[in-house]
Amino acid sequence: MEKKIIATTSLAGCFGCHMSILDIDERILDLIELVEFNKSPVDDIKTFTKPVDIGIVEGGCCNSENVEVLRSFRKNCKILISLGECAIMGGLPALRNGIPIEECLREAYLEGPTVGLNTTKILPNDDELPMLLDKVYPCHEVVKVDYYLPGCPPRADLIWDALVALITGNELALPYEVVKFD
Amino acid sequence: MKDRIFKIISKYNGDSSRLMDILHDIQDTEGYIAGDIMGLLADLLSLSAAQVEETVSFYHFYSDKPRAKVNIYLNDSVTANMFGRAEVLKAFEDACGISEGEVSEDGQLGLFSTSCIGMNDQEPAALINDKVFTRLTPYRVSQIIADLKSGKSLDEITVESCGDGKNALPEVNATVYNNIRRKGALLNNDYPFYSVVRDMLPNISSEEIIDIVSESNIRGRGGAGFPTGLKWKFGSKARGERRFIICNADEGEPGTFKDRVLLTEYPEMVFEGMAVAGYAVGADLGLLYLRYEYKYLLNYLNGILDNMRKNNYLGTNVAGIEDFNFDIRIQLGAGAYICGEESALIESLEGKRGEPRDKPPFPVEKGYLNLPTIVNNVETLATVVKIVKNGADWFNKLGNKDSVGTKVLSISGDCRFPGIYEVEWGMTISEVLAMCGATEVQAIQVGGPSGALIGKKDFGRELSYSDLPTGGSMIVFNNSRNLLREVVLNFTNFFIEESCGSCSTCRNMPYVLREKLLKILNGRGVKQDVEDILQWAKVLNVSRCGLGQTAANPIVSSIRNFRHLYDALVQKEVDYDSGFDLESSVLESCKVVGRQPIFHHH
């Protein structure tokens, strides 16, 4: 069987979902038999070098760069997966949703208890910086997403089972214990 | 200040269930209900501070911040917008020098928006310090504000343009018009007020009254249509040391205003109906829950009650009937559509947030103060009086087989003669439209936003409980109207605004559906969005009350009956569009930090 190509990225996330990918432990050796990684922090490939079968996205979109990366994933990946709470619902970063952006920036850079060093009282405005979005968006509110793997982070077994199911074309077993959340 | 609060609380004997009245009085004397007053109230009424605050914050017309000396609440209903609200708002803004939602710097004028105030046949309308001003035009607005600034009182301003009928009485003095266009069995002025209480009750048993009402087959006129006789029978048999009659005059369904007219022209019959119900089920207290928007009727209605007490139609041994003691109190609401739902209304009567209760138990078993309570609509109670007077057979001859009697309709929108029409059940929509002088009709909203938006193919259907039920609201839209943007969006906004927030379905889903609707209206919708709306709206069915269950009706019924409007808006060439727009979503942050947005188009 030809190896499937995989790409991964972390947008407005904490890399916890990527840690959970690594948590498949020694099965990563089996995985390497099945897939080849393209653009991903796992192998540090920065740009897409070939068409990808499965794109895995951690984190939602909080700035313009997130949007551009996500769009490039949608463009280059046949299947796109939202991995974890932040990609699916916005997660912790989305706590700022509902608070005016001006208030967020003022708290973070001008008035918060830890901003003593910002003596020039400047809000980050360099053209090189990504632009903040009006709110944090889950991935599917920006591009079409094919599958969702929930969790914070999703369990390693769930990631493994889902990838194996996708690669082998078999149906993913979803017993009650996997889909219950309380 | 403390002394004034003590005085108010002692007026209500420190009864925490009278919190609504206490808050109204405080707002009247202090201007608003400040945080420290809430703390004081909590102490004095043995409530927690949170209980007081949650009640204050729930209702539209209570304020925890200083309001202006003159507060203008401009109605934001569909018909107000159809008949020039935007120009009237602009005129208010220009004349007052403030924007909507603001209070002027000198604290003299405040301008706010409010949900339907029951004046749909005379829009645009506004409440100015509880006084109703109807048929506003930019010119009239400039005159009103100029008069106010020159020191005229609101009473002086209204008296210049008083409405018809009893609206012109000094104790009402409202610029409100009854617009009664058609009278029938209920409204035809052939009934000598109080004759049932005076002449019949002393000679008839409570069981016989319930039998007459049951045999008449009358069903509730508020919209739900529960058989009134059955409700009374349940109430009379429910256990409890006291029983109550509640008249639901929280007429909040946009487009409904018939109860306002009934309470203006026929309050005697409404109160008499409450007394008859009290006699039938063995209640000793009646409570009329009057929506805040009709506060201008309060003194007038209290005057009628005083008159009834003088004549012994209320009080002890009413009409000389031994041990039949019955009195009526009017409870003023404070601006919340949801309080039209009977269990929410009861919560509100007890001084709490108007959140619907879980059912069962129903109010007939555990209602006001957890005692057996009958809740009836204004029109139902007035009609019952005539039924008792004329007999069940008389009533059964009216209407059709499925729905007997007459219905008072509130017709508004694009028609020559908006107003009140009493018709027999069974009238078709075509007949209704011809009757009110509507032409070039695109659609009619039957039963208010929680009802159905129907088009030409359904104009042959009949008004009846089994075909097209209605609490009375009928809003006509002609071909010039943009149904989705002007009507469906407005109604959806209304449900989002008026949700009590208790059920997550009703708190969230209407908002999600509105996002979908806006996406479609903005040209970013795809076919799947329309399907999503139909599928997702189903979760609202698990909501606790009727508001939640019907909150998607404007969108869903417009999709069912006007699918072509959606098909014309959704994109044909793409099957997916998230609706996300990078350019507009970074505008705000770039402005805050002071940089120009730069986009790299790949």
Side-chain angles (χ1 to χ4, degrees), chain A residues 4-12 15-22 24 28 31 35-42 48 52-60 66 69-70 72-74 76-88 139 143-150 153-156 158-164 166-167:
Chain A
K4 298 283 183 189
I5 319 286
I6 288 189
T8 75
T9 190
S10 177
L11 306 176
F15 267 94
C17 296
H18 273 76
M19 300 311 288
S20 206
I21 294 175
L22 299 181
I24 61 176
I28 199 152
L31 187 63
V35 306
E36 171 191 331
F37 278 86
N38 196 265
K39 175 179 161 66
S40 168
V42 173
F48 288 103
V52 168
D53 295 301
I54 302 169
I56 299 174
V57 180
E58 168 190 345
N66 295 153
V69 172
L70 181 59
S72 76
F73 262 69
R74 179 70 274 180
N76 288 284
C77 305
K78 277 186 217 149
I79 293 171
L80 201 57
I81 301 176
S82 270
L83 181 67
E85 162 72 13
C86 300
I88 296 173
C139 293
V143 301
K144 184 177 187 186
V145 170
D146 302 299
Y147 295 102
Y148 303 84
L149 292 179
R155 293 172 306 108
L158 179 69
I159 298 171
W160 169 257
D161 291 346
L163 282 178
V164 169
L166 258 182
I167 293 163

Side-chain angles (χ1 to χ4, degrees), chain B residues 190-337:
Chain B
D190 61 354
Y191 175 72
F193 292 146
Y194 310 127
S195 59
V196 164
V197 166
R198 186 180 58 228
D199 305 332
M200 294 182 73
L201 286 200
N203 307 310
I204 193 169
S205 71
S206 54
E207 291 80 11
E208 285 172 297
I209 295 273
I210 293 179
D211 285 343
I212 294 172
V213 175
S214 299
E215 285 159 18
S216 78
N217 294 312
I218 183 175
R219 296 165 66 170
R221 281 354 189 189
F226 191 82
T228 306
L230 197 57
K231 192 183 270 187
W232 288 17
K233 194 172 278 174
F234 287 151
S236 69
K237 298 211 165 119
R239 282 160 192 260
E241 63 260 35
R242 283 183 79 183
R243 295 191 179 84
F244 302 101
I245 304 298
I246 293 175
C247 174
N248 184 346
D250 192 56
E251 182 177 50
E253 187 76 37
T256 318
F257 45 87
K258 56 156 185 100
D259 293 343
R260 186 238 306 152
V261 174
L262 286 167
L263 287 169
T264 306
E265 295 298 323
Y266 307 86
E268 296 87 350
M269 279 169 69
V270 178
F271 291 139
E272 194 176 356
M274 292 174 76
V276 171
Y279 179 73
V281 306
D284 62 11
L285 180 64
L287 297 146
L288 180 112
Y289 189 96
L290 185 69
R291 68 183 305 214
Y292 186 85
E293 290 81 350
Y294 297 167
K295 189 183 175 187
Y296 71 96
L297 292 170
L298 186 60
N299 286 339
Y300 162 66
L301 293 175
N302 274 322
I304 305 268
L305 290 177
D306 282 340
N307 188 39
M308 287 177 75
R309 288 184 195 107
K310 267 186 217 134
N311 289 293
N312 194 220
Y313 302 140
L314 291 175
T316 47
N317 299 335
V318 171
I321 304 165
E322 193 110 339
D323 293 333
F324 176 39
N325 306 320
F326 188 80
D327 207 335
I328 294 175
R329 173 164 76 77
I330 300 176
Q331 174 68 59
L332 195 60
Y337 166 71

Side-chain angles (χ1 to χ4, degrees), chain A residues 64 67-68 71 75 100-102 105 123-127 129-134 137 140-145, chain B residues 511 515 575-576 578-590 592-600 602:
Chain A
S64 55
V67 172
E68 278 164 29
R71 282 176 172 168
K75 201 168 151 192
I101 213 156
E102 198 252 333
L105 287 166
L123 293 175
N125 60 1
D126 194 285
D127 280 347
L129 294 169
M131 299 169 286
L132 282 186
L133 306 183
D134 53 349
Y137 293 80
H140 66 272
E141 287 189 11
V142 177
V143 301
K144 184 177 187 186
V145 170
Chain B
Y511 182 87
E515 293 294 300
D575 60 4
Y576 187 87
S578 69
F580 178 78
D581 181 54
L582 181 60
E583 276 76 1
S584 63
S585 65
V586 300
L587 281 180
E588 189 188 350
S589 76
C590 286
V592 171
V593 301
R595 63 185 275 197
Q596 290 298 319
I598 301 171
F599 302 104
H600 310 282
H602 301 292

Side-chain angles (χ1 to χ4, degrees), chain B residues 62-185:
Chain B
Y62 292 140
S63 176
D64 61 355
K65 290 179 207 64
R67 297 190 308 173
K69 200 162 152 248
V70 175
N71 294 286
I72 301 157
Y73 286 91
L74 183 58
N75 183 13
D76 193 21
S77 72
V78 165
T79 40
N81 282 287
M82 283 160 60
F83 295 110
R85 180 186 192 272
E87 292 76 26
V88 168
L89 173 64
K90 173 116 193 346
F92 270 122
E93 289 180 333
D94 290 348
C96 302
I98 49 175
S99 297
E100 186 179 356
E102 290 180 353
V103 172
S104 64
E105 266 177 34
D106 59 4
Q108 290 297 309
L109 293 163
L111 182 56
F112 309 96
S113 184
T114 195
S115 297
C116 186
I117 63 171
M119 302 289 157
N120 240 34
D121 55 340
Q122 42 207 300
E123 293 291 351
L127 290 172
I128 304 182
N129 277 12
D130 313 332
K131 281 258 166 204
V132 184
F133 288 81
T134 65
R135 296 177 181 170
L136 290 168
T137 59
Y139 176 76
R140 178 94 178 103
V141 167
S142 65
Q143 293 296 301
I144 291 171
I145 300 299
D147 282 351
L148 280 171
K149 284 184 172 168
S150 75
K152 268 198 191 178
S153 75
L154 284 162
D155 273 321
E156 287 172 302
I157 298 172
T158 42
V159 81
E160 293 166 6
S161 51
C162 261
D164 57 344
K166 290 175 179 162
N167 290 301
L169 290 177
E171 61 266 42
V172 182
N173 187 23
T175 71
V176 176
Y177 293 82
N178 292 323
N179 290 333
I180 301 175
R181 309 282 186 182
R182 178 170 163 156
K183 294 183 177 183

